[in-house]
Amino acid sequence: MKTKILFLILTFAWFISLSACTSPVENDVSDNSRIITVSVLPEKYFVERIGGEHVQVNVMVGPGESPHSYEPKAKQMAALSNSALYFAIGVEFEDAWMERITSANPGLRVVDLSQDISKLPSSDADHNEDMDPHIWTSPEMGKTIARKIGFVLIELDPQHADDYQANLAVLLRDIEQLQAEITNSISQMDTHQFMVFHPGWGYFANEFGLEQIPIEIGGSEPSASELAHLIDTAKNDNIRVIFAQPELSTQSADFIASEIGGRVILISPLAEDWLENLRLVSQTFADAL
Ligand code: ZN
């Protein structure tokens, strides 16, 4: 009798341990996590840091592509039907495509992360309504974006509110640390001006008291006379480094750099590791300026 009971207990324990082993697989995050679509790679960073294991992120504008001229692929348009949410950020391709995206997916909730942010005028006037769309290059704006994402994820999935809150708190702490580091590295710079092909750093410049001199005029390469003027400016202001972006042309930047005996350094506002990229860019500024 005793052995029979022992056998039953052991069998029962074996079943329990078996189900304990299989339950994490049944609850695998990839099955239950929500698919969230974003426009640009830095948004992916924010949503993943806050959403953690509860989200899967789809990006429209992939590495090497520009959100100013981007056109979604048919496959990406079709994949939107699996998305629970779309975080827009106010880049040009959204204006051209969002109507098509929402009419094809009437259930898709679209949240514009740039909505509560007061935008700066675009320094080269090529962007819609002359406003600069690159809000995410400022860590302070990054905090606003992070809080909004946290708020919306909690609304969408209140069951995991504690996780979202905790992840958001850690991210906000990291951003504050980054701001202190950038303030420190920028205080060591000799000049506060920098020349860049595509003016993607307006919000960064604004936050840290820098002046961005764009090479691009109205979203295109400068004319010969505009180039000559830029070369004069660079010489007068003792500019030695011209910044350009890997996603875009470096032709004008190369030309100006050769005329002033300087060099071109590539920086991108679109890198996926948003935090590390801003740290790297500020160190690059500090070393080069
Ligand atoms: Zn841009």
Side-chain angles (χ1 to χ4, degrees), residues 6 114 170 190 205-206 227 232 281:
L6 187 67
S114 71
V170 175
D190 298 330
N206 189 54
L227 261 180
D232 283 346
V281 166

Side-chain angles (χ1 to χ4, degrees), residues 41-286:
L41 288 158
E43 289 182 273
K44 180 173 189 260
Y45 177 84
F46 283 96
V47 178
E48 283 180 347
R49 287 258 346 226
I50 301 162
E53 59 179 8
H54 309 303
V55 298
Q56 275 184 65
V57 184
N58 251 345
V59 187
M60 296 301 274
V61 185
E65 295 168 327
S66 162
H68 302 294
S69 53
Y70 180 72
E71 296 202 346
K73 294 159 192 75
K75 220 168 106 182
Q76 287 182 302
M77 289 298 279
L80 278 166
S81 63
N82 300 322
S83 263
L85 184 70
Y86 192 117
F87 280 120
I89 198 155
V91 289
E92 276 99 323
F93 100 86
E94 292 170 7
D95 295 327
W97 287 85
M98 203 46 81
E99 227 178 87
R100 246 177 284 188
I101 287 173
T102 50
S103 67
N105 305 280
L108 179 68
R109 184 176 170 203
V110 180
V111 175
D112 184 356
L113 295 173
S114 71
Q115 208 172 30
D116 307 327
I117 289 173
S118 57
K119 292 199 183 166
L120 296 171
S122 177
S123 51
D124 81 334
D126 76 320
H127 299 110
N128 287 339
E129 288 149 14
D130 298 337
M131 295 319 246
D132 184 343
H134 310 90
I135 52 170
W136 63 89
T137 58
S138 146
E140 196 55 40
M141 300 292 146
K143 287 199 262 183
T144 307
I145 290 168
R147 287 192 196 99
K148 177 89 178 178
I149 291 170
F151 180 82
V152 174
L153 290 183
I154 289 168
E155 242 181 17
L156 179 80
D157 177 27
Q159 211 190 328
H160 298 114
D162 288 353
D163 289 349
Y164 299 136
Q165 286 285 14
N167 292 343
L168 174 63
V170 175
L171 176 58
L172 291 175
R173 262 209 311 276
D174 286 353
I175 298 176
E176 265 154 30
Q177 164 78 26
L178 172 74
Q179 285 175 305
E181 281 175 37
I182 296 178
T183 305
N184 180 51
S185 49
I186 278 173
S187 71
Q188 292 158 22
M189 283 165 38
D190 298 330
T191 170
H192 282 183
Q193 284 181 321
F194 63 99
M195 192 174 273
V196 61
F197 175 67
H198 179 65
W201 297 94
Y203 294 86
F204 183 91
N206 189 54
E207 180 172 342
F208 297 106
L210 305 176
E211 189 198 337
Q212 168 179 257
I213 304 171
I215 295 172
E216 213 180 24
I217 313 271
S220 12
E221 302 277 348
S223 67
S225 68
E226 285 161 346
L227 261 180
H229 178 70
L230 285 163
I231 290 162
D232 283 346
T233 305
K235 282 178 178 164
N236 291 337
D237 296 343
N238 209 21
I239 288 172
R240 315 293 302 159
V241 171
I242 311 295
F243 294 96
Q245 200 175 317
E247 295 86 2
L248 301 167
S249 155
T250 61
Q251 201 188 327
S252 309
D254 288 336
F255 182 72
I256 296 170
S258 71
E259 289 296 303
I260 63 169
R263 64 198 167 104
V264 172
I265 296 181
L266 297 179
I267 51 173
S268 175
L270 294 166
E272 180 175 333
D273 192 340
W274 174 84
L275 197 94
E276 197 47 43
N277 185 51
L278 287 192
R279 179 174 286 135
L280 202 79
V281 166
S282 66
Q283 281 164 1
T284 306
F285 279 172

